[in-house]
Amino acid sequence: MRRILLTICYDGTRYCGWQVQKNGLSVQSVVQSCLESVVGQLPNGICGCSRTDSGVHANRYCLHFDIQNPIGCKNIVNALNSRLPLDISALDAFEVDADFHARYSCKSKTYIYKIYNSPTRNPFKENYCLRITNDIDIDLINKGCQAFVGTHDFKAFCSAHSAVKTTTRTIYQCYAVLYLIPNNIKLMILQLI
């Protein structure tokens, strides 16, 4: 049996999130279906590095799966990209040790939040940024970001019936950068690592 680490990226606009759910189309169900058409049945399915909410996008999302098929990793990526919808793409694949786990072997995650500052809506940004109309004080935001840095218990952010074993997480960096884009619109990127 071979364990494969696959990295993908996706636009989550039309999905109910990563994890398979009864109430809608998930990224996991689409990727697994396309992957099975390439490599055959996946005895343990696919396992992702984390869950994402409805409408959330991923620049580099890692997942693993087990196969007996001798197909090369590059061929998995190429064949998968010929089957995936345009809003999901396979980036690369590698054979990894049998004890590798996409979720538990992960060392860190980076979250990026995009906020654009404009009095009017922009249809090209609506699915990718939060729009606010008030002025952005980048110095004040960066000062507030420092409250997130360190080890904290995020239990208050979990659902009532969450099965996670620990809600304590460490945030290594949190900062915001402000860009001026055409038409005097400000775009703020908030990053948590």
Side-chain angles (χ1 to χ4, degrees), residues 2 8 17 37 50 59 64 74 83 94 98 123 141 162 168 170:
R2 301 165 61 209
I8 64 172
S37 74
S50 66
N59 290 324
H64 78 265
K74 185 175 181 179
R83 289 164 173 80
F94 300 96
I141 289 170
S162 175
T168 301
T170 299

Side-chain angles (χ1 to χ4, degrees), residues 1 5 20 35 39 62 64 67 83 97 112 121 128 135 143 177 181 189:
M1 188 73 73
L5 164 62
V20 173
L35 194 53
V39 300
C62 296
H64 78 265
I67 57 171
R83 289 164 173 80
D97 293 335
I112 298 172
R121 288 184 297 111
Y128 308 103
D135 284 337
K143 186 176 180 181
V177 178
I181 58 178
I189 308 293

Side-chain angles (χ1 to χ4, degrees), residues 124-142:
F124 297 104
K125 292 190 176 18
E126 286 301 308
N127 291 325
Y128 308 103
C129 304
L130 170 69
R131 181 176 65 94
I132 61 170
T133 57
N134 297 339
D135 284 337
I136 294 175
D137 183 338
I138 195 71
D139 293 329
L140 184 61
I141 289 170
N142 273 313

Side-chain angles (χ1 to χ4, degrees), residues 129-173:
C129 304
L130 170 69
R131 181 176 65 94
I132 61 170
T133 57
N134 297 339
D135 284 337
I136 294 175
D137 183 338
I138 195 71
D139 293 329
L140 184 61
I141 289 170
N142 273 313
K143 186 176 180 181
C145 283
Q146 297 317 299
F148 289 99
V149 176
T151 302
H152 306 282
D153 188 345
F154 290 92
K155 185 174 185 174
F157 293 94
C158 291
S159 63
H161 304 291
S162 175
V164 294
K165 293 179 181 171
T166 177
T167 55
T168 301
R169 300 288 184 269
T170 299
I171 296 182
Y172 298 97
Q173 295 178 28

